[in-house]
Amino acid sequence: MRNRKPPFEITNTMIHEIAEIAELVGKLTSTNQLSANPTLRRTNRIRTIHGSLAIEQNTLSLEQVTAVLNGKQVLAPPKDIAEVKNAYEIYERLEELDPYSVDDLLTAHGIMTRGLVDESGVFRSKPVGVVDQEGHVLHFGTLPQYVPNLVMELLDWVKNSDVHMLIRSCVFHYEFELIHPFANGNGRVGRLWHTLLLSKWNPAFAWLPVESIIHDRQQEYYEAINASNNAGESTVFIEFMLSAIKASLMDAINTSDEMSDGAMDKATVRWKQIEKFMQTHEFIMNADVRALCGVSAATANRILADLAEESKLVKCHENGHWAYSLKIKENRHEY
């Protein structure tokens, strides 16, 4: 089989990102928080699943995904609930998967789309076009008769290339979406496989919610794919994905710091800040928490979700946006 190199350039931006990612990975693994904390691993896994499925228009909130995986009843479309359960099952089997095996790739697709699509666990049999959120055609996928060989060739290149795995995994992600080997579920499986490849470079990546960062930056994700399609090579997409991976690591380190000595103090300080804010506001939103606590959007989401889980706040819809209010009205200051 030819071991054709997919088209891309290694840029100074990539080299800088890889150096920073390697430093961040060292910092994260030195704290041992991910390997020592099953609660944190599960929280990250749930964020991963929510992020990856939300990109594909799954309607469940992070809280609803958590509830489904805790065995609670959730009022939501059965298809969306099934997507969550299927995705959780295959992510839980990540360590069993061979990232260079076509059979394992098909098995993963079969579990991810079980009971949801006609061609589950098999390559598509019909031509397909890929569209973005606005319905614009990004490109037409490879003709179905060429899909199996192109996927095998891509996996063979990823396995045997001497390019750094951080770049190889991004190239796989882009080329996989370009081939578009399945009738449905290409995005979910592509992101799963990207995580799988990264986890073979460093096991910590099995528990890092990179998909959540992609969801937060979804428009940039599509723009990077578009730019790479127009250029006929994946350089722009690789640079975007490396920045998302770096952001995911920084978020994980912040979380790890919060869970180390003094974490309770930091959480208490943040709650006091939010509680004070709520004395003069009926609702609080992500942007408010970012400003109050000096944190990223992803960390603000987690702070709000944790407070809702503790029943200190309740999630609600206000003027077309998600917001949070105090759970018990009697606790509010009258003014």
Side-chain angles (χ1 to χ4, degrees):
M1 182 183 292
R2 286 186 305 126
N3 196 15
R4 182 186 66 84
K5 173 186 175 288
F8 66 91
E9 297 297 325
I10 294 176
T11 64
N12 286 334
T13 298
M14 291 181 203
I15 293 167
H16 292 149
E17 295 281 30
I18 287 170
E20 289 185 37
I21 288 168
E23 190 175 324
L24 290 167
V25 167
K27 186 174 180 182
L28 180 67
T29 52
S30 69
T31 65
N32 207 33
Q33 279 286 353
L34 277 175
S35 57
N37 193 319
T39 304
L40 179 58
R41 290 204 304 269
R42 181 173 169 80
T43 299
N44 281 356
R45 175 69 38 93
I46 291 170
R47 287 178 62 208
T48 292
I49 290 163
H50 169 257
S52 192
L53 294 179
I55 293 168
E56 309 297 336
Q57 283 75 57
N58 186 290
T59 62
L60 270 65
S61 67
L62 183 61
E63 290 84 359
Q64 286 176 310
V65 171
T66 304
V68 167
L69 296 176
N70 287 339
K72 297 177 182 175
Q73 290 291 327
V74 171
L75 188 62
K79 170 184 165 290
D80 289 5
I81 292 172
E83 284 180 352
V84 168
K85 291 178 177 177
N86 289 355
Y88 185 73
E89 180 179 336
I90 191 59
Y91 271 93
E92 285 293 282
R93 292 172 59 175
L94 204 64
E95 287 184 13
E96 303 168 20
L97 297 171
D98 177 353
Y100 313 114
S101 164
V102 174
D103 287 344
D104 281 13
L105 183 69
L106 293 171
T107 296
H109 181 263
I111 292 171
M112 188 79 85
T113 61
R114 185 175 54 216
L116 299 170
V117 302
D118 291 334
E119 293 184 305
S120 179
V122 295
F123 291 128
R124 60 181 164 83
S125 60
K126 297 173 185 173
V128 66
V130 182
V131 297
D132 64 13
Q133 286 178 305
E134 282 77 43
H136 304 129
V137 176
L138 299 182
H139 71 276
F140 289 101
T142 302
L143 290 172
Q145 60 267 35
Y146 301 120
V147 164
N149 280 342
L150 283 175
V151 171
M152 283 191 280
E153 189 177 83
L154 177 60
L155 290 173
D156 187 52
W157 175 81
V158 177
K159 182 178 183 178
N160 294 302
S161 170
D162 57 2
V163 174
H164 196 289
M165 179 55 87
L166 280 165
I167 293 177
R168 264 187 286 165
S169 61
C170 296
V171 172
F172 170 85
H173 188 153
Y174 174 77
E175 293 288 335
F176 181 85
E177 301 305 334
L178 198 66
I179 296 167
H180 215 71
F182 301 113
N184 294 93
N186 294 281
R188 281 169 280 166
V189 174
R191 289 185 289 275
L192 169 79
W193 224 251
H194 194 162
T195 293
L196 174 62
L197 288 166
L198 288 172
S199 74
K200 297 305 178 187
W201 176 60
N202 189 297
F205 279 98
W207 305 103
L208 280 175
V210 177
E211 291 86 342
S212 180
I213 301 295
I214 296 172
H215 176 234
D216 289 342
R217 297 167 61 180
Q218 192 168 340
Q219 191 55 43
E220 288 179 73
Y221 178 63
Y222 287 126
E223 286 170 1
I225 291 174
N226 282 338
S228 289
N229 289 345
N230 292 336
E233 45 101 86
S234 57
T235 304
V236 173
F237 182 78
I238 298 167
E239 290 181 345
F240 166 77
M241 280 306 309
L242 289 174
S243 73
I245 290 165
K246 183 172 77 174
S248 179
L249 281 160
M250 291 169 71
D251 195 46
I253 288 167
N254 286 339
T255 304
S256 180
D257 288 345
E258 288 167 19
M259 298 185 76
S260 61
D261 292 339
M264 191 61 69
D265 293 339
K266 187 180 287 188
T268 303
V269 167
R270 286 174 174 172
W271 167 238
K272 292 296 181 189
Q273 289 172 313
I274 290 167
E275 201 173 27
K276 185 176 179 182
F277 178 89
M278 297 304 288
Q279 291 176 14
T280 53
H281 297 78
E282 190 168 3
F283 301 100
I284 189 165
M285 302 176 76
N286 183 290
D288 300 319
V289 177
R290 277 156 37 204
L292 282 171
C293 304
V295 295
S296 68
T299 301
N301 274 338
R302 190 170 59 251
I303 291 167
L304 288 167
D306 287 347
L307 290 171
E309 188 78 21
E310 295 167 18
S311 299
K312 289 180 177 176
L313 295 176
V314 62
K315 193 173 185 181
C316 52
H317 219 241
E318 177 66 14
N319 296 327
H321 298 284
W322 285 112
Y324 289 77
S325 64
L326 284 171
K327 180 81 173 173
I328 304 167
K329 189 167 186 179
E330 287 73 22
N331 284 355
R332 293 187 190 172
H333 290 245
E334 299 298 328
Y335 50 87

